[in-house]
Structures are given as C-alpha cells and as structure tokens.
Amino acid sequence: MDITQLTALELGKKIRQREISVREAVLASQKKISEQEDSLHCYITLNTEAALMQADQIQKKIDDKTLTSPLAGVPVAIKDNICTKDILTTCASKILSNFIPPYSAEAYQNLEKQGAILLGKTNMDEFAMGSTTETSAFGVTKNPRDPNRVPGGSSGGSCAAVAADECFYALGSDTGGSIRQPSSFCGVTGIKPTYGTVSRYGLVAYGSSLDQIGPIAKDVTDCAVILEAIASYDPKDSTSVKRDSYDFTAGLVNDVKGLKIGLPNDYFGDGLDSEVKASILAAAKTLEAQGAILEEFDLGLVDYAIPAYYTIASAEASSNLARFDGVKYGYRTDDAEELHHMYKKSRSEGFGPEVKRRIMLGSFVLSSGYYDAYYLKALRTKALIKQAFDNAFDKYDIILGPAAPTTAPKFGELVSDPIKMYLSDIYTISTNLAGLPGISIPCGNDHAGLPIGVQMLAKCFDEKTLIRAAYSFEQTKERR
Amino acid sequence: MAKQYETVIGLEVHVELATKTKIFCGCSTAFGGAPNTHTCPVCTGMPGSLPVLNKQVVEYAAAVGLATNCSITQYCKFDRKNYFYPDNPQNYQISQLYLPICRNGHVEIETENGKKQVRIHEIHMEEDAGKLIHDEWDDCSLVDFNRSGVPLIEIVSEPDMRSAEEVIAYLEKLRLIIQYLGASDCKLQEGSMRADVNLSVREVGSETFGTRTETKNLNSFKAIARAIENERERQIDLIEDGKAVIQETRRWDDAKEYSYAMRSKEDAQDYRYFPEPDLVPIVISDEWLDTIRNQQPEFRDEKMKRYKEEFDIPEYDISIITASKHMADLFEEAVALGSNPKKVSNWLMVETLRLMKDRSIEAEDLKFSAANLAKLIALTESKTINSSVAKEVFEVMFDENIDPDQYVEAKGLKTVNDEGALRSVIETILTENPQSVADYKAGKVKAIGFLTGQTMKAMKGKADPSEINRILMELLQ
C-alpha cells in the first residue's frame, strides 16, 4: 500500500487504529517529496527534522488518547503566506526571504491543536499576486498532471502538493480565486469559506477585505473536516465572525433532492473553453439526475467584477505591503545613502514585477483626485455585486459554474500578459467581493487529460449546503 | 498710517488618552519602559498581525465630544493614512478622516475681552507613532516602539481665535475638561497634550482669510504665546514688504525663539486615505451613548457654582481650587472627612500654592492625600499643635505624604498643655529680661512680641501662642 495515496481522514483513522504510525506517515510523505520535488517544486521550505520530532510527540498523545482528532498525526503543507512560529515564512518574496515569524497564524494553531504535522511551506505567487505561481521569487511549481503546465495560483504549491501526494492536505488562501482555480487546474478539492469564518490573524495580508484561508484536499469529506478544524471566532481578528455553527461535517450528506441550482448564463458565454463548458454542464446534469432542480439565470455585473476587484485588492495591497521597508525585518539593500534611498532600493530589489505593478496600481487609485473615480466606484460596484448574488440566492441554494475558463495553461502563457491573467479570474473573484463561500471539485478532464473543476457557490454562512451539494456530486464519481 | 492687522488662529490639539493599554493591542501604555519592551506583533507592524480596537478609547473620545458640545458620529470608521517613516511601523497610521467620532462642537472661553465661543470642527481617534533616537556617536538611528499605538485624540478647532490670550484660554479650557473626565493628564511638557498652531493674518475688516502656516513643536503655554507673536510679526513683515506668505509647516525652536520652515504645501504628501479594512465600523448605540453621558463628571463651571452656594469661601479661592481636578478632589474629600471648608481652602491657597511654586510642580502632581490634610487640620483645631508646627508638618507632608498624627507623635511636636510648666518658664523669662518688662510697662507694646518669642524658644516651639500671651499679660499686670 502506498500510504501517500490515502485521504487525510483515511490516514487519520489508520493512525488511530495503530495500522500506521505517525512517523511512518511522515516518512512516506517525505519520501514522496524527495522523489518528486526536484521536478515539481511544490515547497519553498521543508520542515524535515522538526516534522519527525513532532511525529513522535503526537504519537505519544495519540497513544495515551489525549489526542483523538480525525486529523491527529496527519501531515500537512501550509501556504507560505501563513505565519508559522520559528519557521521561515516568505510569501514567495525576496523581501521576506529571511523572515521567521515569532508567532503562528490562528488557523495553523487550530490545526496544531488537532495534532497536525507540518511537512513544509508551499510555493505560491509572490504575496498571492498571480494566477500561476510563476511570480514566486523562488521558481515555478509544475503541475503534477503535466510538468509543462502551471499548477494555477496563487496557492499553486499547496494544490500541486496535494495532487502529487506530497502531503495529505494543505492550507491555501483565496483573495480572488487562489484556492479554487489551482484546485481546478490540479484536480483537487478546495474551499474558500465565507469571509470571517477562518481567522486572518497571521495570514500575511494581500487584500484584507477579501482574503480567506481555506482547505485544499483530496475530497470533499477531508475539506469539511479540515474547515471545521481551522474555523474559529478569533477576537484577534476584528473581521472574524462568531458563527452560530461550525458543524461543517453535518453537510456530508448524499442528498440533493429538491436542491435549487442556478446556472448563471454570464459564466457560460464567450471565453469559456468548450471542453470545460461541456464538462461543467455534464456535472450539473449529474446533480439534476440526483434530484436537484437546474435553472439558468442572468447574474449580471460580471464585466464589472474584474476592474472592481483589481482596484480594491490593489489599493489594500499597496497599503498592506508598505510595512516591508527594510527597517524592521526582511530584506534590506546592502548600500543606501539615506533613509528614502534605503526604502526605495530595498523595495525595488525586494519585490517582483507583478507585486510592483499592483502596488503602483493601488497607490494610483487611492491618490487624491482619483479616489472617488476609482476606489469609491469600485466599493459601490462591490456592493452591487453582493446585491446581485443576494438576489440570486433568494431563488437558488447553489450557483454552479466553472472555476476557470480553461484547463491549466503552459508556462508563460498567462504571466506574460497581465490583462489576460487578470481576466482568467473572471469566475472566481466575484465570490470574494461578495464574501461568499465557494468550492472547486474535479468533474472531469479535457482531451489532454488535464483536470477540470466545477465551482459551486452558496450564500454567506451556508457552507453546509455547499458541502452537501459537492459531496453528493462527488459520490456519483469513482474515486480516482 | 500703518495698516491694522488681525491674527486668525485655529488649533490642532493632540491628546494622549489615559488608557492602560494601547489602542489596537494589549500592550501597556506606561511611560518610561526600556525601549521596545511594551510591544507586540501588532504595534511593531509584523506581517499578519491585526488591530483590535480598545473600547475605552471610543468612550473617552465620545466623552470629550459630549463635554465640548459635539455631535457624536454613531456610525464611525477608521481610515488608513499612508506615509513612510521609520517610527510608523506599518507605514500607515490608523486614524479617522471620513467619519470622525465627534463633529461640530464648541467651548466657551473667557478672556479680558469677555466671553467667546470657539467652535470645534471635529475630534478624531488615532494611534501614536514610535520614537526615533539618533545616535550621533555611532551614526545610526534606533526606533523605540513603546509609544507606537498609544491612543490619541486630535481636536481640530475652527479658525476662531484672534490672539495668544484666546489660544491659551481655549487650551486651558480643553485641558480642564479632559482632566475632569480623567481622559488624560494633558501635560504639554511631557507631550500628553500637543498643540499645532494654524495662523494667518489679514487686514482688519477683511472678510477673506490670509495664507496660513502651521507651527509645530510647542511644548508650553509660554512657547505657544511666543510662537504666535513671532509668527504674526513674521507674516505682517512679509506682507508689508510686498512678499507672499507661503503655506507651509514650520517648526518652533523655543530656545532661539524662532521658527523655520519644515515643508511647504508643494511637497505636502498625498496620504492616500482609505477605510481601514482590518477594523469593522464602530456603532455607538443610543444606550452606549447614554451610559457615557451619564458617567460625565461635574465640570468646572458647575463645580464653581456649587462651591459658591455650599461653601463660604472667596470666589477667587474657588477659581483656583477648581482650576485643577486634583485640587478640587482634595478639597472635597477633606471637607467630606469633616474638615472646615475655610480651613481646607486656606491650606490649599496659602501653603500649598507657596510650596507648588517653590518646588515648581503642577497641581495634578500634588502628593499628599486629603485624609492627611484633614488629620493635620484636626490637629490644629484641637490645638494639639500650634500653627508654626503645623506649617512644618505640612511641608513634610507636601513632599512625602506622611501621616501627620504619626509624625507629630514620633517627633514629639505636641503643644505642652501643662500650665504650671509654662507659667514657670514665663516667670524665668521675665526675670531674665527686666528691660523688656520695663519697656512694656512704659507703653512699648512691641516688647510683648519679644517676650513671647523668648518663651516659645524656651518651649522649643511646642506651646500654644495664645496661652503664652494670656499668662504673660496676667503676670505683667
């Protein structure tokens, strides 16, 4: 048996039943990593020795029954913009290439309490800005399904690591599709929870009003359990929401009878690859066959989502990234004549081109004289988009569509053309503007065998229905 | 005929609030810790850290707003003010621009020219920055983030003041209100209250404002008065010379009594304000606002009115005592402990003011407790000690807040009440000073003073002077 092919929950069960030791699980993952990392490059930092020490400690706690969590002893990979105490956290940027946080993100701490074992920190687009993981300062990650293609982004390392069995599950972050789009490209399952569900404390901010941490795993069941583990009300995060229920696994029910599913016409028009379209529509039909009710509708405002998103996210990023200045931590230029020269040089040398582009864009839209025309207008657009979704969810339990317009592109295809790259986020970014929960699950492959993901959205705080629809769909498919 | 000019002044006053912890994290606001000991990931701008608002800051800010007749913004927000400087760890300051917590207020000031209203444009909440220390020796700069995140309110007035006198009256008024609220100690010297002066001049009768400058670094009322006079003259000289006043920020050097330009409007920064996405809007419910309103203390004007009705003490004394919240508290507590209001007032007006001047300390820093003052007054009332001993004891109490009962006991300062002993001492004095006795009998009444002094000296000060006088008169008959 190849342990690494198990799901997180299957492994957790075997560990608790003493069929597999925690150390064996960690070693199996590490072996997979050492075999594949040279070609795939999912990780920026490996936690090799500490993970083995951690394995022995967790094993003891499992043995004496102080740890009974379904995730106890299961190795995890964490995106490198999520702070991990005493472990390098770079955001895939040269400017944080030496940053070792003295604290852990709340979401990661929640996992630690469940007995998770950190294998390493995964590659990503620099500061989560990108759709292919090509903007990383530490080199690209390859799509495990086709090494000539990108894994998607920005959580490309996390999704590729799950797809390549280099971990049992991973955490990613999603500001405009950064969990769902690479999940689609890599053929794994990922959830972007409702804004406020998972604490942002310790997540290095990109677009504060849009960022959410979420699970990436091999199936819906794993995702539900992981989400339950990482979600919490955190007084340290003012935007954290005290939810009525955190019982996401209650959604693991195979039943979509009477479930109303809306298919937005706007998500099936020009620009959508025909094979992707066919696969998504087939997924919808599958759910219909299980008793769901399908209806096409016009969501509206889709054309405005991308400009609104890039205005708001860039504006927030331009301010969030101001703290990286060479003064307190991170990269500082070797020679500078005076303070402002030091700022300019450190930042010019420390940030990559995509990050600089967004800092400039964000600084511009916040400038006096432009604020009303761009930033305020974008905020109004965001409110209208939220309204459009609210209206749709008056009628539908689930909105279903593609996670990305195509399957994984080849290296250089998107990153070389920023506008094209931004447009590829069209199906995912509205979700973040509206704060909604969304999931991407594999629904098929194109002619080249590249995975296609179907995206489902639910109204805010209704992950349970989202998980139910996704789980029911998954039950109709054979395990990979 | 020289032209007549009018000075137009508006103030931006920063006040450090007296919360125990910082505005967005749990770190202490205590003054004087070793550098970077009152810090955490939030107030040092570490990646991934997030601010959480200290509710007390909202309550203090709203209380100041209510006391200055402002309308309270019950749905208010924080904004980010973006600028790069090493004392500002995030390179943005969390402040309020679009929806400040208080707006459209006013306070009444009184000067020699009578009463007048100064309007308040707004009051907003924000965080303080850290402190840069320049090490000339090593040619480097160090940052101390202990002050980073200490809560501030900025009180922005309308350009309603016309003289240094009015400015000082306005600042005194604000200071009293805020001290009475307990929201800050408002010490200019220590920087817990800072005033920036916006000043322009115009010809008397003109309806339009002249070009204004902003003067910073004013650390005392005297410095403010000097800086206003200096800037007024500088601007008039420029205008008289046919030159233009440039809109700029100037820094006052009080030692040189001179200000110099820091930056002009042209290189003014674009702060790129936008709503702080890490904080949710603050909703101040009617109930919360009522609670804050109901907790408002009795302010000075009301207090003065009440004192006039309740206590038989001079109006001047009342104005001095109520000019400090701390002194008014001392007064009221001592009276509550049973001391005669007139006696308490006397101690505050005479000995306390004398020693404050001598030791150059502010009323807010008085160390002695009302309980000890009440004990001291009780000791004099019961004639356990005489007034000169009382003054000695008071001085020690003023410096060290000793318990007068214990002190008098320990030092053996009680008045000797043994009439026989006193009488025999006086008899000896009279025998030893025949000339004085003769002088007295010859009509030189002053000789009594000498004889009393000699007796007191012999008694080592521990006699009741009125007793001495009585026995002396009796023996000299």
Side-chain angles (χ1 to χ4, degrees):
Chain A
M1 180 183 63
D2 181 356
I3 296 174
T4 63
Q5 289 184 2
L6 298 172
T7 67
L9 279 202
E10 286 166 351
L11 175 67
K13 196 172 173 192
K14 286 186 191 295
I15 288 172
R16 287 197 307 287
Q17 292 174 343
R18 313 262 188 135
E19 287 175 42
I20 298 173
S21 74
V22 181
R23 180 170 269 268
E24 279 175 308
V26 173
L27 286 170
S29 292
Q30 290 180 343
K31 181 161 177 274
K32 215 32 164 271
I33 291 168
S34 65
E35 285 166 7
Q36 301 179 144
E37 261 306 85
D38 281 351
S39 54
L40 293 181
H41 189 233
C42 301
Y43 289 89
I44 291 174
T45 303
L46 288 170
N47 192 37
T48 312
E49 278 159 42
L52 285 169
M53 276 167 57
Q54 222 180 337
D56 295 339
Q57 288 163 6
I58 296 295
Q59 185 71 57
K60 266 187 209 145
K61 289 188 182 171
I62 293 168
D63 291 346
D64 66 21
K65 300 263 194 299
T66 50
L67 250 184
T68 56
S69 148
L71 295 172
V74 181
V76 63
I78 304 284
K79 188 175 180 179
D80 212 21
N81 60 350
I82 298 171
C83 286
T84 43
K85 191 178 180 215
D86 300 333
I87 296 163
L88 201 61
T89 298
T90 69
C91 290
S93 180
K94 184 178 172 187
I95 211 154
L96 281 181
S97 52
N98 58 3
F99 178 65
I100 297 174
Y103 48 88
S104 285
E106 187 73 5
Y108 175 59
Q109 273 191 22
N110 287 343
L111 277 186
E112 279 187 309
K113 283 181 207 146
Q114 307 267 324
I117 292 172
L118 180 66
L119 289 170
K121 305 294 294 286
T122 56
N123 200 12
M124 55 185 278
D125 282 296
E126 185 179 5
F127 285 104
M129 297 178 188
S131 307
T132 61
T133 311
E134 289 169 285
T135 70
S136 168
F138 305 114
V140 303
T141 294
K142 288 175 182 166
N143 191 318
R145 301 287 280 266
D146 178 348
N148 295 313
R149 292 177 186 271
V150 301
S154 65
S155 310
S158 284
C159 291
V162 172
D165 295 326
E166 289 191 16
C167 64
F168 291 88
Y169 69 102
L171 293 191
S173 69
D174 191 316
T175 308
S178 284
I179 286 176
R180 291 158 290 154
Q181 182 255 35
S183 291
S184 170
F185 286 0
C186 292
V188 296
T189 302
I191 294 179
K192 182 253 153 196
T194 307
Y195 186 76
T197 299
V198 179
S199 170
R200 292 189 296 114
Y201 194 89
L203 169 67
V204 182
Y206 158 26
S208 310
S209 69
L210 308 163
D211 295 341
Q212 266 295 284
I213 293 173
I216 296 157
K218 293 173 185 174
D219 64 16
V220 177
T221 306
D222 277 5
C223 278
V225 171
I226 299 156
L227 182 57
E228 212 165 285
I230 60 175
S232 62
Y233 168 67
D234 182 6
K236 295 192 299 304
D237 174 2
S238 305
T239 61
S240 173
V241 177
K242 205 177 244 167
R243 293 182 54 141
D244 295 336
S245 166
Y246 289 90
D247 186 4
F248 301 115
T249 48
L252 294 169
V253 176
N254 185 7
D255 177 16
V256 288
K257 276 183 206 76
L259 197 76
K260 285 182 223 141
I261 297 178
L263 305 177
N265 292 320
D266 330 55
Y267 282 19
F268 292 90
D270 289 347
L272 180 62
D273 177 271
S274 60
E275 281 187 273
V276 174
K277 184 176 177 177
S279 184
I280 303 299
L281 289 173
K285 290 284 173 202
T286 306
L287 284 166
E288 190 178 34
Q290 300 294 309
I293 301 153
L294 298 187
E295 196 176 295
E296 292 174 15
F297 76 106
D298 292 317
L299 179 64
L301 296 170
V302 173
D303 290 345
Y304 301 102
I306 285 176
Y309 170 84
Y310 278 96
T311 301
I312 293 168
S314 301
E316 291 178 0
S318 71
S319 176
N320 285 333
L321 271 59
R323 68 187 65 201
F324 307 114
D325 59 3
V327 172
K328 305 161 294 278
Y329 45 73
Y331 174 79
R332 182 190 292 180
T333 187
D334 288 334
D335 67 312
E337 282 145 28
E338 40 79 40
L339 178 66
H340 286 272
H341 189 232
M342 191 278 283
Y343 281 152
K344 275 184 199 164
K345 253 191 125 200
S346 299
R347 288 166 65 81
S348 296
E349 293 164 9
F351 290 131
E354 185 57 33
V355 172
K356 285 179 192 163
R357 180 159 29 240
R358 294 194 198 186
I359 290 174
M360 285 191 284
L361 181 61
S363 303
F364 174 74
V365 299
L366 290 177
S367 302
S368 102
Y370 296 98
Y371 179 83
D372 290 4
Y374 294 106
Y375 187 74
L376 266 193
K377 200 172 268 182
L379 282 189
R380 282 188 213 114
T381 309
K382 180 186 178 196
L384 290 173
I385 288 170
K386 171 120 181 55
Q387 187 60 50
F389 275 106
D390 286 349
N391 293 343
F393 283 118
D394 283 344
K395 286 194 271 180
Y396 309 113
D397 301 306
I398 293 288
I399 291 174
L400 184 148
T406 62
T407 50
K410 288 188 173 145
F411 287 99
E413 274 182 18
L414 279 185
V415 78
S416 59
D417 184 346
I419 298 293
K420 195 174 164 192
M421 180 166 83
Y422 298 169
L423 288 173
S424 75
D425 294 339
I426 183 120
Y427 305 129
T428 47
I429 52 175
S430 305
T431 320
N432 300 74
L433 290 171
L436 306 169
I439 190 168
S440 172
I441 47 172
C443 63
N445 296 314
D446 67 6
H447 67 279
L450 294 171
I452 297 165
V454 57
Q455 178 180 224
M456 296 185 213
L457 309 174
K459 63 173 178 283
C460 283
F461 306 110
D462 197 10
E463 278 86 352
K464 212 168 128 180
T465 303
L466 185 70
I467 288 166
R468 176 155 68 99
Y471 179 77
S472 302
F473 173 72
E474 192 181 63
Q475 293 305 304
T476 66
K477 317 276 286 181
E478 273 181 48
R479 267 296 303 276
R480 57 194 188 115
Chain B
M1 175 72 198
K3 287 176 184 164
Q4 293 289 308
Y5 289 94
E6 179 182 47
T7 320
V8 177
I9 307 166
L11 289 193
E12 289 168 25
V13 178
H14 284 91
V15 175
E16 241 176 49
L17 297 179
T19 55
K20 289 199 172 61
T21 56
K22 293 185 179 180
I23 183 168
F24 298 124
C25 63
C27 291
S28 166
T29 54
F31 209 83
N36 296 307
T37 51
H38 300 162
T39 57
C40 72
V42 177
C43 58
T44 54
M46 297 292 266
S49 67
L50 294 169
V52 176
L53 178 62
N54 180 343
K55 231 173 115 181
Q56 180 73 59
V57 174
V58 178
E59 290 180 357
Y60 276 150
V64 174
L66 289 172
T68 53
N69 309 295
C70 288
S71 57
I72 306 299
T73 314
Q74 288 182 258
Y75 179 87
C76 75
K77 282 182 180 177
F78 280 99
D79 301 293
R80 287 191 191 172
K81 179 181 181 178
N82 293 286
Y83 66 95
F84 278 78
Y85 205 63
D87 64 4
N88 172 14
Q90 305 152 125
N91 287 320
Y92 57 80
Q93 180 195 31
I94 305 179
S95 179
Q96 294 191 293
L97 178 72
Y98 296 108
L99 291 169
I101 183 161
C102 310
R103 278 196 281 220
N104 302 327
H106 67 266
V107 292
E108 195 178 74
I109 60 166
E110 192 170 358
T111 63
E112 281 173 2
N113 303 322
K115 288 183 177 176
K116 168 174 185 174
Q117 269 195 7
V118 176
R119 290 168 301 154
I120 289 171
H121 179 77
E122 68 170 64
I123 301 175
H124 62 255
M125 306 176 278
E126 60 188 26
E127 56 179 339
D128 206 349
K131 199 171 123 190
L132 284 185
I133 298 143
H134 303 287
D135 188 333
E136 304 280 337
W137 189 258
D138 283 336
D139 190 27
C140 71
S141 295
L142 302 163
V143 200
D144 176 5
F145 288 123
N146 283 354
R147 305 311 294 159
S148 166
V150 166
L152 299 176
I153 50 172
E154 182 174 341
I155 305 166
V156 183
S157 83
E158 298 289 355
D160 286 352
M161 287 157 277
R162 296 291 176 267
S163 66
E165 196 195 2
E166 288 185 2
V167 168
I168 307 276
Y170 169 74
L171 284 170
E172 286 280 17
K173 185 84 186 192
L174 286 183
R175 180 157 84 161
L176 271 169
I177 288 170
I178 295 165
Q179 282 177 348
Y180 267 73
L181 283 166
S184 173
D185 55 12
C186 291
K187 291 180 183 166
L188 266 84
Q189 276 83 355
E190 290 180 16
S192 59
M193 188 180 200
R194 294 165 236 165
D196 299 337
V197 172
N198 285 294
L199 184 149
S200 63
V201 296
R202 63 179 171 188
E203 270 188 66
V204 169
S206 166
E207 289 292 313
T208 52
F209 291 128
T211 305
R212 69 168 192 273
T213 60
E214 181 181 356
T215 305
K216 289 180 178 288
N217 195 39
L218 304 167
N219 300 322
S220 67
F221 285 148
K222 279 180 192 151
I224 290 169
R226 278 195 286 264
I228 286 172
E229 200 41 49
N230 181 285
E231 182 58 16
R232 171 189 151 85
E233 279 169 18
R234 194 188 68 85
Q235 290 191 13
I236 292 172
D237 284 352
L238 280 172
I239 293 166
E240 298 267 297
D241 286 356
K243 292 176 189 158
V245 174
I246 298 166
Q247 189 175 336
E248 64 193 358
T249 304
R250 303 181 66 83
R251 186 180 166 86
W252 177 250
D253 185 329
D254 201 44
K256 293 181 186 157
E257 297 203 25
Y258 163 83
S259 72
Y260 58 90
M262 286 167 76
R263 54 175 182 265
S264 74
K265 195 193 173 191
E266 281 71 50
D267 32 74
Q269 297 182 53
D270 180 355
Y271 291 118
R272 304 191 312 278
Y273 278 99
F274 75 106
E276 165 58 273
D278 286 332
L279 289 166
V280 289
I282 308 150
V283 179
I284 305 172
S285 66
D286 292 343
E287 292 76 24
W288 193 12
L289 199 56
D290 282 344
T291 311
I292 298 169
R293 196 177 276 124
N294 293 335
Q295 286 168 351
Q296 296 284 83
E298 177 188 46
F299 288 103
R300 189 192 183 199
D301 295 348
E302 304 156 71
K303 214 182 254 301
M304 286 176 73
K305 224 170 118 193
R306 180 167 64 84
Y307 281 18
K308 265 179 225 169
E309 288 162 12
E310 283 183 24
F311 310 116
D312 179 26
I313 52 175
E315 212 162 299
Y316 176 73
D317 293 15
I318 293 176
S319 76
I320 298 287
I321 291 170
T322 56
S324 149
K325 166 81 160 48
H326 185 61
M327 206 184 259
D329 286 347
L330 279 175
F331 174 79
E332 287 181 38
E333 275 177 55
V335 170
L337 287 166
S339 298
N340 177 323
K342 248 181 154 162
K343 291 262 154 68
V344 180
S345 166
N346 261 334
W347 278 106
L348 294 175
M349 294 300 298
V350 184
E351 284 305 292
T352 307
L353 291 185
R354 181 180 70 80
L355 289 170
M356 273 168 60
K357 200 175 167 199
D358 184 64
R359 311 285 201 268
S360 64
I361 68 164
E362 301 280 320
E364 298 307 308
D365 297 324
L366 289 174
K367 273 189 223 147
F368 65 87
S369 69
N372 283 340
L373 178 59
K375 280 183 188 174
L376 183 70
I377 290 170
L379 287 170
T380 57
E381 295 275 272
S382 65
K383 304 209 164 155
T384 311
I385 55 172
N386 64 41
S387 67
S388 58
V389 170
K391 280 181 194 168
E392 268 172 53
V393 176
F394 181 79
E395 189 158 343
V396 185
M397 198 177 94
F398 183 94
D399 291 328
E400 297 163 39
N401 190 28
I402 45 96
D403 178 327
D405 286 343
Q406 287 172 13
Y407 186 80
V408 164
E409 192 67 48
K411 300 270 174 182
L413 296 174
K414 276 189 191 169
T415 305
V416 176
N417 282 324
D418 181 344
E419 195 187 326
L422 184 58
R423 190 174 284 271
S424 77
V425 168
I426 293 174
E427 278 165 356
T428 314
I429 298 285
L430 292 179
T431 332
E432 284 171 1
N433 297 281
Q435 186 56 51
S436 299
V437 175
D439 285 352
Y440 176 75
K441 294 202 167 157
K444 288 189 182 170
V445 187
K446 268 189 189 168
I448 275 283
F450 175 76
L451 292 167
T452 309
Q454 289 299 306
T455 310
M456 194 58 101
K457 202 172 161 190
M459 292 298 290
K460 297 198 171 78
K462 295 184 284 184
D464 179 351
S466 61
E467 261 315 274
I468 298 177
N469 200 271
R470 189 179 62 79
I471 297 169
L472 258 178
M473 299 307 274
E474 194 190 310
L475 292 175
L476 286 170
Q477 286 303 312

